[in-house]
């Protein structure tokens, strides 16, 4: 656990504490009175209220729409299921700025709904909620559906044999078993929407702001670091509480259930009701998930003289004096791939060691606390992390500000989370007696890991690496502050193009977004080929 702890201490805790400390400390003294002023400001209290309200509403709507999909993926077998699971997961790894832009093109002024029926939902709460469902649908499907598919159906069948009806058997047997997974998924969705930035920034307009958006405004627009620091600490406290609840639900889910091979529980739909559920789920996926992605693709080909490849050809053009970049925009693709490979290597190394340490029994509260702390990069403001990297890592012995490795290290912080969450349940499922037998025969801890654990978790390790790669490709929040102008990533390039007026810039942004979507989809489809039946939450 020493290496993962050191990695998070140096590349997460130190930059975050540095930037927060600099914001709260001025003229050699701590400005704790500023905290009371911020917490008493009615405008900022409204931001806090809206953050909690929209997160709760987004979570409820996501569960309502996604739970039927979780059941379909868990219990039904149908052609194209593997491909559809990858398609469902693509939105989750897309940059939030791309998701916001896709929904703006769908429901905003001049969007698809506006052109067809005159319906506009831009800068409205409904646009934000639907975008959050789009983004988090896969969280519920994979977290709940993965466990649902591994539940032994004979337990519910036994209840029905004893006289319970279908609904009563599900309510008394299946629902209690699923409750921890549903709670874990709800907490994860609430966490992601509570810290939402890109989606609210684009779709919320000037009327709506979350804590994350307000932290960005106070830092980038007003240079008010004390207010930003107070809001960061407030968000940090809320995230810690959420992660504590999440860790508790995960422990309940891992310890209380008898699981079977999910392949044994899935079967083809039978009867009109089951086929209706399957087709309605496919319709929801088509309208809510595929349609916004299709809008991205269509806009990338919609040139000034009709549909064509004009925007894609422009990506290869050399940068001019008035260009958004100092290099051709297509260079961002190769930069992103190189950064993602390096970030994946770091995430697999650090996350693998952390998962192996957490899988050992008997660690007590220290291990459980470290497990929860590993989730913090998902909840702490990416703005804070990005500025923290620039400020804290610019002096020896950690003078990395001009280093190529700065971006992969920031991306690896989030990648480690997915590696741990994917590998930890599999490692905990390994029979501890195998490790004990190897140790009795004289094997060192490294040999035990290589000869016992690694062969059993190799496929889960590949899945973890794939998710870390996909997430690194789409990371935007911290990267936008630390990527150099001559080495932009795809998400940074999209954001810069969207920030400039003109049809050519907008079209190139849609083209780059489409390329990113295709790369992520290809990576996720490859993951489905090596995915085990129970490889963790994702």
């Amino acid at each position: 656990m020493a290496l993962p702890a050191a990695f998070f201490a140096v590349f997460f805790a130190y930059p975050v504490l540095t930037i927060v400390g600099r914001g709260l400390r001025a003229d050699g003294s701590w400005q704790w009175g500023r905290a009371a002023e911020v917490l008493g400001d009615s405008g900022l209290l409204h931001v806090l209220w809206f953050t909690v309200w929209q997160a709760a509403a987004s979570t409820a709507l996501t569960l309502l729409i996604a739970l039927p999909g979780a059941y379909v993926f868990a219990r039904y077998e149908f052609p194209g299921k593997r491909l559809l699971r990858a398609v469902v997961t693509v939105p989750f790894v897309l940059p939030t700025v791309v998701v916001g832009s896709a929904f703006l093109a769908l429901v905003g002024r001049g969007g698809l709904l506006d052109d067809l029926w005159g319906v506009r939902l831009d800068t409205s709460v409904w646009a934000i909620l639907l975008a959050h469902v789009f983004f988090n649908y896969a969280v519920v499907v994979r977290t709940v559906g993965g466990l649902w598919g591994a539940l032994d159906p004979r337990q519910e069948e036994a209840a029905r044999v004893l006289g319970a009806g279908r609904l009563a058997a599900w309510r008394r047997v299946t629902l209690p078993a699923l409750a921890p997974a549903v709670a874990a998924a709800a907490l994860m969705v609430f966490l992601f929407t509570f810290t939402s930035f890109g989606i609210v920034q684009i779709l919320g307009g000037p009327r709506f702001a979350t804590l994350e958006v307000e932290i960005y405004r106070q830092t980038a627009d007003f240079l008010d670091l004390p207010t930003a620091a107070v809001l960061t600490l407030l968000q940090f406290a809320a995230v810690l509480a959420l992660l504590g609840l999440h860790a508790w639900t995960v422990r309940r889910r891992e310890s209380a259930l008898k699981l079977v091979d999910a392949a044994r529980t899935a079967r083809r739909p039978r009867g009109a009701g089951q086929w209706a559920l399957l087709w309605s789920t496919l319709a929801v996926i088509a309208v809510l998930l595929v349609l916004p992605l299709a809008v991205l693709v269509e806009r990338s080909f919609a040139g000034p003289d009709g549909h064509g490849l004009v925007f894609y050809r422009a990506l290869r053009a050399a940068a001019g004096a008035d260009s958004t970049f100092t290099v051709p925009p297509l260079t961002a693709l190769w930069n992103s791939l190189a950064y993602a490979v390096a970030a994946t290597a770091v995430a697999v190394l650090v996350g693998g060691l952390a998962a192996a340490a957490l899988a050992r029994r008997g660690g007590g509260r220290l291990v459980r606390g470290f497990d929860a702390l590993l989730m913090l990069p998902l909840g702490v403001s990416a703005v804070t992390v990005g500025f923290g990297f620039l400020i804290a890592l610019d002096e020896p012995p950690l003078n990395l500000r001009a280093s190529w490795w700065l971006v992969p290290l920031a991306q690896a912080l989030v990648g480690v989370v997915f590696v741990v969450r994917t590998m930890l349940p599999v490692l905990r499922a390994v029979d501890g007696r195998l490790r004990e037998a190897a140790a009795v025969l004289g094997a060192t801890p490294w040999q035990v890991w290589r000869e016992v654990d690694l062969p059993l978790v190799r496929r889960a390790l590949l899945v973890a690496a794939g998710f870390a790669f996909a997430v690194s490709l789409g990371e935007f929040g911290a990267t936008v502050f630390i990527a150099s102008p001559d080495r932009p990533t795809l998400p940074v390039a999209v954001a810069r193009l969207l920030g400039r007026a003109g049809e050519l810039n907008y079209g190139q942004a849609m083209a780059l977004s489409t390329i990113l979507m295709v790369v992520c989809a290809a990576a996720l489809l490859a993951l489905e080929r090596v995915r085990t039946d129970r490889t963790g939450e994702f």
Side-chain angles (χ1 to χ4, degrees), residues 12-34:
F12 177 70
Y14 176 56
V16 170
L17 292 177
T18 297
I19 190 67
V20 171
R22 185 164 297 190
L24 290 177
R25 187 176 178 86
D27 299 327
S29 60
W30 294 97
Q31 297 187 355
W32 296 115
R34 182 60 174 162

Side-chain angles (χ1 to χ4, degrees), residues 523-538:
L524 292 170
L525 184 59
L527 291 185
E528 293 302 322
R529 293 186 173 274
V530 299
R531 182 177 182 265
T532 57
D533 293 321
R534 184 170 175 253
T535 54
E537 295 175 10
F538 296 97

Side-chain angles (χ1 to χ4, degrees), residues 422-430 435 456-457 460 532 534-536:
T422 301
M423 294 188 62
L424 186 55
V426 182
L427 285 170
R428 283 177 173 168
V430 176
R435 300 189 184 103
L456 296 174
V457 302
T532 57
R534 184 170 175 253
T535 54

Side-chain angles (χ1 to χ4, degrees), residues 71 101 137 187-188 201 218 227 241 269 277 378 384 446 483:
Y71 176 80
S101 301
Y137 187 92
L187 286 169
M188 289 301 297
Q201 178 80 344
Q218 296 295 333
T227 299
L277 177 60
L378 292 180
T384 302
W446 164 247

Side-chain angles (χ1 to χ4, degrees), residues 21 65 86 127 190 246 466:
I65 295 176
F190 189 91
H246 180 268

